[in-house]
Each structure stands twice: as structure tokens, then as C-alpha cells.
């Protein structure tokens, strides 16, 4: 599975380093990599890609809703042009990200893309988009390599309104070492960018705090029999298993851990990759006691601007948020519209002209943007997000009990 991922990553990188189209002048705008003309009355087209169906669909749908609310707050228009969001289902995979990005890139009117949710989608999709001069704004893709200084030219158009796992790992390690008082942990990832990279960051931080990683295991996202892996882990007698995998794998792990001798008292700790009703549907009563680390999107943490967003969310969709990253989707929409305002030029006939590199540069120049997640300033490699973190625990296995803050409920801090 890791070899397959590497092949896809190599393909995306090869696509990314080929040359851009030549500089062009359209109307009053000249840009090194291209200009988009939006005729009078025509829409400003924004792309999006997230998992929108299947076990991880709630994760992506929640973020798409955040973007929709940002567009709604802009009254659905930009400088007299309607805003149209074209969203693709990218399935939380490298292959899905490639397919969705390739489809969006064929539309010459797409100015920018918001998303994705999963780091694997970004790994596959972001280089394809940037090869077409389309910047993308990740909304919950947190793998550190996506914004690392050595990330490669294919990611020069990628930035994100969500934090890097380099920020989350120290908090999780501190909770395990100082609150749970654990000195021995095991880790399980699924070989895709987010789970593997957050595991490695956690392991480094945990050992720095004096803890020991006694077992390191990997599964595939499609595995259903986790008993062999869990049995090997049990022989190492960890007090905690850190397993930041997605819905399907997590559900099988929590179900089957209860069947493995020696793990009945072991704390199972995941992340908000499973913060959706789909996890309860898949895990049932086995979910009870499962703890997850995640971003704190409570009104108390984010303040009055988020309270207002939450009210709009409930009014528009008739339910509480499905997952945790709708604020990052909302802020991505706001950051994009703010950057567009800086670079879009209006012609005498009412047309808009947007330079592609100018838009990318304006996004990267985001500074002191007042979002619902905080004040956003982008780093030179595209890290714009910030977050507070907390630990939640599932206390009920019934699907209708799902409500963030209630089930799962906050247990720390």
C-alpha cells in the first residue's frame, strides 16, 4: 500500500514540475502564468474537493458547508458576479484527489480550489491544480510535509486554514504522558500521509517526555481483520494505543480490540478524523470509551464570531455541525474572497480580470485576517491556521446520540 502511494506521489510531482503556460495579457491584466476573464454577468467559479460520500463523507460535507456559508455571507456575489462553487468527491485518497483535481483543472474558469479534507487527497490533487495555475486552500489536510520547506514545486500553490500536525502532536503527547500517566504506548497508522505523519510526530514528542513506544504497527485503510495487528500490540503491554486512522479502520479496531486478551484496559486514542456520525454508525456500542484528540471548535474556545456561524449553520442545514472543520472551510472562503478583492481588476465593460499568480501571491500574503478560527497570517510555505486542542470521549453507541460536546463529550482540559 505504501509503494502504491509513493507511485502516485511521484506521478503528481512529475506533473507539477512541467512548465506553466506562457505569460499572457488579457484586457488590463498581465500575469506570468495566466489571466482569467470573467465576462459581465458570468460567475466567479470556485472549485472544491473533499470526501462527500462513504464513511468519511461527513468530514468533507461539513467543510463544504462552511464554504457555502462564507459565500452566503458574501450575499452570493463578488463585485456584481454570482459566486459558483463546483465541488468534487475526492474520497479521502490519493487517487480520488488526483481525479477530482484533474476534473477541476479542465475548467479554465476555476480561479481557486478550496479543500481538501484529507492529506492524501492534497498529495494527489494539489500539484495537478497548481500545474494549471490554480491555488488550493486545504481545510483539514494537516500532514506536516504539505507545507514543509522541502515540499517541492508542486505544492507552491497549496496553503491551508487548518493547523499542521506539528502543532497537535505535542498536545496529544502531553495528555498521554502527564494526564494518563502512561509510560508505554503503541501506535497504529494506515500508511496514508495524515495518520503516518501525525504518528511519527507524536512518537517523537512522547519519547522527549520520557515515554517509550513499545510497538509500531500499520494497517491498510481497507483492512477489516485487525486481530493479528492488535494481538502483536497486546504482547508489548502498552497502556495506550494511539491510532489516528479514519472511520472504517477505527471502527474495526475499536470493535476487535475488545476481543483481544490484554487490551481490555488499554486506552484507545484516535483523532477527530472520526468525528462524525458515521463512526458511531460503524462502531456501535464498541465506540463507548474511545477517546479522540481534536481541535476545539466550541463556542467557548472560538468566541462570538463562531457562535454566529453556528446559528447560521443550524438555520441553513437544520442540524448541528457534522464534524469539526466547518470553521476552517468558512475561513478558507473568506481568505479567498479577501485575496480576490486585492487582485481582481474590473474592465470598462463590467468584466473581471484575475491574474493567476497574482491571486496565489495574494493568498500567501494573508496577514491578520480575522477569521472565526482566530487571526490568520500565512507562513512562507502556506501554514495559515491555528487551533486549540482538546480530548473527547464517546459515551454512547447509539447514532442518534451524536452531538459534538455531548457524545463525544470533552474530558480534557
Amino acid at each position: 500500500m505504501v509503494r502504491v502511494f509513493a507511485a502516485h506521489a511521484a506521478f503528481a510531482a512529475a506533473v507539477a514540475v512541467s512548465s506553466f503556460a506562457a505569460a499572457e495579457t488579457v484586457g488590463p491584466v498581465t500575469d506570468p502564468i495566466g489571466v482569467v476573464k470573467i465576462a459581465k454577468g458570468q460567475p466567479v467559479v470556485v472549485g472544491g474537493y473533499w470526501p462527500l460520500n462513504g464513511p468519511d463523507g461527513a468530514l468533507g460535507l461539513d467543510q463544504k458547508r462552511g464554504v457555502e456559508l462564507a459565500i452566503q455571507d458574501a450575499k452570493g456575489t463578488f463585485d456584481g458576479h454570482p459566486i459558483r462553487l463546483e465541488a468534487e468527491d475526492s474520497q479521502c485518497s490519493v487517487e480520488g484527489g488526483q481525479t477530482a483535481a484533474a476534473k477541476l483543472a479542465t475548467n479554465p474558469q476555476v480561479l481557486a480550489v478550496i479543500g481538501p479534507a484529507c492529506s492524501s487527497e492534497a498529495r494527489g490533487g494539489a500539484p495537478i491544480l497548481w500545474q494549471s495555475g490554480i491555488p488550493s486552500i486545504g481545510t483539514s489536510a494537516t500532514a506536516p510535509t504539505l507545507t514543509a520547506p522541502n515540499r517541492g514545486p508542486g505544492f507552491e500553490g497549496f496553503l491551508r486554514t487548518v493547523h499542521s500536525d506539528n502543532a497537535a502532536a505535542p498536545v496529544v503527547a502531553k495528555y498521554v504522558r502527564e494526564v494518563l500517566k502512561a509510560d508505554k504506548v503503541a501506535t497504529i497508522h494506515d500508511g496514508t500521509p495524515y495518520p503516518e505523519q501525525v504518528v511519527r510526530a507524536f512518537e517523537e514528542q512522547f519519547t522527549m517526555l520520557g515515554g517509550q513506544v513499545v510497538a509500531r504497527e500499520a494497517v491498510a485503510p481497507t483492512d477489516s481483520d485487525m486481530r493479528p495487528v492488535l494481538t502483536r500490540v497486546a504482547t508489548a503491554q502498552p497502556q495506550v494505543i494511539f491510532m489516528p486512522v479514519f472511520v472504517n479502520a477505527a471502527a474495526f479496531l475499536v470493535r476487535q480490540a475488545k476481543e483481544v486478551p490484554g487490551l481490555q484496559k488499554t486506552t484507545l486514542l484516535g483523532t477527530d478524523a472520526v468525528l462524525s456520525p458515521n463512526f458511531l454508525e460503524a462502531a456501535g456500542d464498541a465506540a463507548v470509551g474511545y477517546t479522540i484528540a481534536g481541535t476545539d471548535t466550541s463556542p467557548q474556545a472560538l468566541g462570538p464570531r463562531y457562535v454566529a456561524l453556528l446559528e447560521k449553520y443550524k438555520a441553513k442545514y437544520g442540524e448541528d455541525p457534522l464534524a469539526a472543520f466547518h470553521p476552517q472551510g468558512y475561513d478558507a472562503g473568506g481568505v479567498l474572497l479577501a485575496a480576490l478583492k486585492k487582485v481582481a481588476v474590473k474592465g470598462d465593460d463590467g468584466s473581471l480580470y484575475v491574474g493567476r499568480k497574482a491571486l496565489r501571491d495574494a493568498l500567501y500574503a494573508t496577514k491578520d485576517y480575522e477569521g472565526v478560527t482566530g487571526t490568520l497570517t500565512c507562513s512562507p510555505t502556506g501554514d495559515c491556521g491555528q487551533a486549540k486542542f482538546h480530548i473527547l470521549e464517546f459515551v454512547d453507541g447509539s447514532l442518534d446520540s451524536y452531538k459534538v460536546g455531548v457524545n463525544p463529550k470533552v474530558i480534557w482540559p
Side-chain angles (χ1 to χ4, degrees), residues 365-371 375-378:
T366 297
K367 183 177 181 181
D368 297 333
Y369 176 82
E370 292 299 330
T375 302
L376 305 184
T377 294
C378 296

Side-chain angles (χ1 to χ4, degrees), residues 136-148:
S136 54
I137 309 171
T139 44
S140 72
T142 55
T145 55
L146 296 174
T147 53

Side-chain angles (χ1 to χ4, degrees), residues 175-356:
Y175 170 75
V176 173
R177 188 76 177 101
E178 298 181 5
V179 179
L180 297 184
K181 307 296 184 183
D183 51 27
K184 296 195 300 181
V185 302
T187 58
I188 300 174
H189 64 79
D190 70 3
T192 61
Y194 162 70
E196 183 169 11
Q197 290 181 38
V198 73
V199 156
R200 298 299 174 235
F202 167 80
E203 290 173 344
E204 179 180 358
Q205 292 295 322
F206 187 71
T207 54
M208 286 175 59
L209 293 174
Q212 181 183 5
V213 182
V214 295
R216 296 176 172 88
E217 294 286 348
V219 298
T222 55
D223 284 351
S224 58
D225 185 4
M226 307 295 187
R227 295 173 187 85
V229 165
L230 290 167
T231 299
R232 289 196 297 272
V233 167
T235 63
Q237 299 181 320
Q239 296 144 310
V240 175
I241 302 175
F242 181 51
M243 39 186 247
V245 293
F246 291 94
V247 168
N248 267 352
F252 283 118
L253 284 165
V254 298
R255 282 180 177 274
Q256 294 168 22
K258 298 180 183 301
E259 305 169 10
V260 175
L263 294 183
Q264 283 75 17
K265 295 184 178 180
T266 302
T267 298
L268 304 181
L269 174 64
T271 64
D272 49 15
V274 302
L275 191 59
S276 84
N278 294 346
F279 175 69
L280 279 182
E281 186 174 23
D285 289 340
V288 175
Y290 185 46
T291 54
I292 59 174
T295 55
D296 186 352
T297 57
S298 67
Q300 295 79 10
L302 297 185
R305 296 198 67 194
Y306 178 66
V307 172
L309 177 63
L310 190 59
E311 292 172 353
K312 293 171 187 174
Y313 190 111
K314 293 178 181 178
K316 185 174 179 67
Y317 303 109
E319 60 183 343
D320 289 316
L322 297 173
F325 294 100
H326 50 283
Q328 285 79 7
Y330 183 87
D331 280 350
V335 164
L336 173 57
L337 293 175
L340 269 175
K341 188 174 182 179
K342 293 177 182 177
V343 301
V345 177
K346 196 161 191 172
D348 293 338
D349 63 353
S351 296
L352 284 181
Y353 299 85
V354 180
R356 289 199 176 278

Side-chain angles (χ1 to χ4, degrees), residues 365-392:
T366 297
K367 183 177 181 181
D368 297 333
Y369 176 82
E370 292 299 330
V372 296
T373 59
T375 302
L376 305 184
T377 294
C378 296
S379 76
T381 57
D383 267 323
C384 315
Q386 57 176 283
K388 298 178 181 178
F389 303 95
H390 60 185
I391 307 294
L392 304 98

